Amino acid sequence: VSLTACGGGGSLGGIVNETESWTPGVFKPASRFAQRCASPRNGNNPDTSRPFADSPGSVLDENNWLRSWSNDVYLWYDEIDDKSPAAYDDPAAYFKTLKTTATTPSGKPKDRFHFSMPSAEWRQQSQSGVSSGYGMHLTPVSLTPPREIVVSYVEPDSPAARADLRRGALLLETDGVDLVHTQNQADADIIDAALSPQTVGEAHRFRIKDRNAAGSRYISLTSAIITTHPAPRVKIIETGIGKVGYLLFNEHIATAEPELINAVNFFRQQGISDLVLDLRYNSGGFLYIASGLSYMIAGEQATEGKYFEKIRFNDKHPTNNPFNGEPLTPTPFFKQTSGFFSEEGLLLPTLDLSRVFVLTGPDTCSASESIINSLRGVDVEVIQIGATTCGKPYGFFATDNCGTTYFTINFKGVNAKGFGDYTDGFSPINTPQEAGVTIPGCAVADDFSHDLGDPSEARLSAALSYRQGACPAVSLRAAKTKAKAKAKASQTPLDQAIDHIAQKPEWLQNRIMRPMR
C-alpha cells in the first residue's frame, strides 16, 4: 500500500472566503481547503521532484482542512468534539483537539497516539534515520527520589559512544542539577534542555556513574547529527542444543531493510535452530518493514496464501482505502525488497522457523507488536520474554498539508486469524496481576548490569533457559511496567521532563505505512 497525501484544491482558484460560517456537524469536502496555506512553500517537493501544490490561503483554511479531513479519515470520527476552526490561530493546536476523549476498559486514553510534526523533519527522520542528539537512549527506572535514570543503549559512532558511555551507566547530574534528589520544579527546564537538545552543537555537562564503577565521572556531550543503526547487534550463541541467532532490532525505519536482510543471510549461513529477536526498545515505525521481517522469519510455506495484516478504516470507508481510492486488500507478507535502500524486487531470504523468542518491554509498541500478532496469525509460535508491551493495534497514513505532516489514527490492524484486540499489550503468561493478552513465555525485568546480547543478560538468559524447558527463577522479578504506568498519573512537571527523555520521536512509537517517495 503506497502512502499518498491529499490532493490540491482542484479548480477553485483564489483564496477560500475566510468568512464562511461554521455549522457544527456540517462538513465541506477536505479537498476544498487542501494545500491552501498561510505560508505557501516554494520550490520542488523532494518526494515528487515537482513543485509544491501549495497556494495562498490562511490559517482558517488550514484548520478547515484539518476539520473536514479528520471527519473523513479518523477512525473514531464520530467521537470528535466539533469545535469552531476559527477559534484557533495555530493549526497544530487545533489538530490536538480533533480526537476522541474516550478511555479504554483499563482507564487509559483510547487515543494516546495523535500528533503532528514539520514535514521536513518527518522526511529526514523516517527515510534516513537522521536526527540531532547525543546518541544515548535512557530509561527512567524510577521517577521518584532517589531517581534512577539509566543508559539503555548507545548509538555507534555517536558523541555518547565517543565519551565511552555504555549501557547501565547512571545519570546523576545535568548542568549542575541533581537528577537523583532534586524536588525543585524550576530544574525541569534545565534538565529538559540538557537531555533533549533542539539544535546541533549544544554542549552540556553530565555526571555519570558507570556500571560497576565505585565512583562517578564528568563528561561533556555536544549534540550532533545522529544516524541511527536500526539493527546494531547480530550474533550467534552456541548452545548444547543448537545455534541461536540474536538480533537486536531497535527501529522500523527505511534503512532497516538492508540491515535485516544481512542479518537473516548471516543466520542462514550459520544454520541457526532458534532466533531471539530483541524488540524491547523498538517502539514502532513502518509497517512494511515489520511485514518483511516477519516473512523472513516464517518463510514461504507458513505465509503462503495468508496475509500479514488486514487494516480496517472507519465505517465511511468499508471497501476502499480513502488515501488512494483503491479497493481494500490485506497487507501481504512482503517477499521482496522495497527498493528504498536496495534494488527493488529482490527476493528476501528466509529462516523458515516454526517459533521465535521475542524480548519485550513497555517500549515494544505498534509495528513491533504487529510482528508478534501477525506471526501468531500464521501459527508461528511466539515466546515472549520480558514485560508487557504498550498496546497499539492502530496506525496512520502520514499526511502533509502546508508543510506539516499529520498523524491521526486511520486504521486498526488484525492478523490472518482476525485478531487485533490487544490495547493493553501482550504479556508473558506468568506476568503478575494486570496483564495484557497472555502468550507463552517468562516475565523478566530489564537487566542493565549486562550488555545487550550478552547470554548472561536476564532476558536473553531466560530465553536460552526456556529452550531447555522452563522459565528461570529470575523471571519472577516481574518488570515494573504497571508500577511505572501508575506513577505517570501523578507526575509532577519535573517528573514529566525526566520521563520524556526516554521517548523516541512520536512517529517511531506507532505503525505507519510506507514512506513518501
Side-chain angles (χ1 to χ4, degrees):
V1 180
S2 297
L3 180 152
T4 55
C6 290
S11 61
L12 289 173
I15 300 176
V16 174
N17 185 355
E18 292 193 20
T19 63
E20 285 188 281
S21 62
W22 165 64
T23 303
V26 177
F27 300 88
K28 296 180 175 68
S31 59
R32 179 178 178 84
F33 309 102
Q35 305 298 347
R36 297 186 179 276
C37 313
S39 300
R41 291 166 291 181
N42 297 314
N44 288 341
N45 184 333
D47 299 316
T48 63
S49 299
R50 296 189 296 271
F52 283 111
D54 299 2
S55 61
S58 66
V59 167
L60 183 57
D61 291 333
E62 295 185 35
N63 288 350
N64 273 320
W65 177 80
L66 283 169
R67 176 174 176 266
S68 294
W69 175 71
S70 298
N71 181 66
D72 183 34
V73 301
Y74 184 55
L75 185 62
W76 305 292
Y77 69 93
D78 53 351
E79 298 178 25
I80 295 175
D81 183 10
D82 189 13
K83 298 179 179 180
S84 171
Y88 294 82
D89 59 7
D90 177 12
Y94 182 53
F95 177 67
K96 290 180 181 179
T97 73
L98 299 174
K99 66 176 183 175
T100 180
T101 57
T103 58
T104 67
S106 66
K108 295 185 296 186
K110 186 175 179 179
D111 186 351
R112 313 187 301 279
F113 324 120
H114 196 76
F115 72 101
S116 63
M117 65 190 302
S119 297
E121 182 181 341
W122 150 248
R123 183 180 300 108
Q124 182 184 54
Q125 290 185 9
S126 65
Q127 296 192 27
S128 65
V130 170
S131 60
S132 62
Y134 309 118
M136 67 175 177
H137 297 264
L138 304 171
T139 296
V141 176
S142 173
L143 287 171
T144 57
R147 297 181 188 86
E148 188 176 353
I149 314 300
V150 64
V151 175
S152 46
Y153 68 96
V154 170
E155 293 288 351
D157 304 319
S158 66
R162 290 189 286 274
D164 199 27
L165 198 61
R166 300 184 181 183
R167 175 175 170 82
L170 290 171
L171 208 60
L172 305 177
E173 186 180 296
T174 61
D175 287 342
V177 173
D178 180 359
L179 261 75
V180 178
H181 301 102
T182 184
Q183 299 274 31
N184 186 351
Q185 299 302 320
D187 290 338
D189 289 341
I190 298 175
I191 293 170
D192 191 46
L195 293 174
S196 302
Q198 300 301 303
T199 59
V200 171
E202 292 185 33
H204 297 275
R205 183 173 170 82
F206 303 87
R207 183 165 68 92
I208 63 159
K209 181 180 182 299
D210 292 307
R211 187 177 75 204
N212 300 325
S216 62
R217 65 185 174 107
Y218 284 93
I219 61 173
S220 292
L221 296 176
T222 301
S223 60
I225 294 296
I226 305 298
T227 300
T228 298
H229 298 268
R233 193 151 301 166
V234 179
K235 65 182 297 184
I236 297 294
I237 300 170
E238 300 278 358
T239 75
I241 53 174
K243 294 181 179 180
V244 176
Y246 171 83
L247 171 60
L248 175 62
F249 179 33
N250 290 332
E251 294 185 359
H252 286 80
I253 59 177
T255 53
E257 186 177 67
E259 293 190 20
L260 295 174
I261 291 171
N262 289 340
V264 170
N265 276 323
F266 174 65
F267 292 147
R268 279 174 55 89
Q269 294 165 3
Q270 293 294 316
I272 65 170
S273 56
D274 274 307
L275 172 67
V276 176
L277 178 62
D278 196 338
L279 298 176
R280 76 183 78 186
Y281 302 126
N282 193 321
S283 52
F286 289 126
L287 202 60
Y288 83 97
I289 293 291
S291 172
L293 176 57
S294 297
Y295 170 74
M296 289 191 283
I297 292 170
E300 177 72 27
Q301 184 174 349
T303 59
E304 182 65 30
K306 300 175 183 177
Y307 58 80
F308 173 74
E309 186 170 276
K310 181 184 291 183
I311 62 176
R312 296 175 178 170
F313 292 93
N314 65 38
D315 58 12
K316 294 183 179 183
H317 306 284
T319 59
N320 290 80
N321 184 323
F323 292 88
N324 57 25
E326 296 177 357
L328 281 180
T329 56
T331 300
F333 282 90
F334 289 115
K335 303 177 180 181
Q336 298 178 337
T337 55
S338 66
F340 286 102
F341 283 89
S342 58
E343 183 180 344
E344 186 174 3
L346 300 178
L347 289 177
L348 295 176
T350 62
L351 296 173
D352 306 318
L353 296 174
S354 60
R355 71 175 180 179
V356 61
F357 293 82
V358 181
L359 309 188
T360 67
D363 296 320
T364 306
C365 293
S366 202
S368 289
E369 290 173 302
S370 71
I371 292 176
I372 295 172
N373 194 46
S374 296
L375 286 176
R376 283 167 53 84
V378 296
D379 295 319
V380 171
E381 183 182 15
V382 177
I383 300 165
Q384 182 182 1
I385 308 292
T388 301
T389 63
C390 74
K392 293 184 180 179
Y394 309 112
F396 312 92
F397 278 76
T399 303
D400 167 87
N401 191 64
C402 297
T404 298
T405 295
Y406 295 96
F407 301 81
T408 197
I409 295 295
N410 302 129
F411 62 86
K412 177 180 180 178
V414 298
N415 66 17
K417 294 183 177 181
F419 180 76
D421 294 322
Y422 52 90
T423 54
D424 286 316
F426 291 101
S427 299
I429 198 166
N430 67 343
T431 301
Q433 300 175 343
E434 311 161 50
V437 175
T438 55
I439 62 178
C442 313
V444 182
D446 209 353
D447 174 13
F448 297 102
S449 65
H450 294 88
D451 289 332
L452 297 172
D454 184 337
S456 297
E457 188 275 320
R459 287 178 174 167
L460 178 52
S461 176
L464 299 175
S465 175
Y466 192 97
R467 296 175 70 240
Q468 301 189 57
C471 295
V474 71
S475 70
L476 299 179
R477 296 188 301 110
K480 304 174 184 178
T481 312
K482 297 299 178 183
K484 182 178 177 182
K486 291 178 180 178
K488 286 178 178 288
S490 58
Q491 281 186 357
T492 67
L494 179 59
D495 298 331
Q496 292 169 3
I498 295 173
D499 191 27
H500 127 268
I501 64 177
Q503 301 299 316
K504 291 187 177 182
E506 286 179 291
W507 77 270
L508 269 177
Q509 299 171 45
N510 299 284
R511 46 154 49 88
I512 302 167
M513 301 309 284
R514 287 176 179 268
M516 296 176 288
R517 297 197 68 171

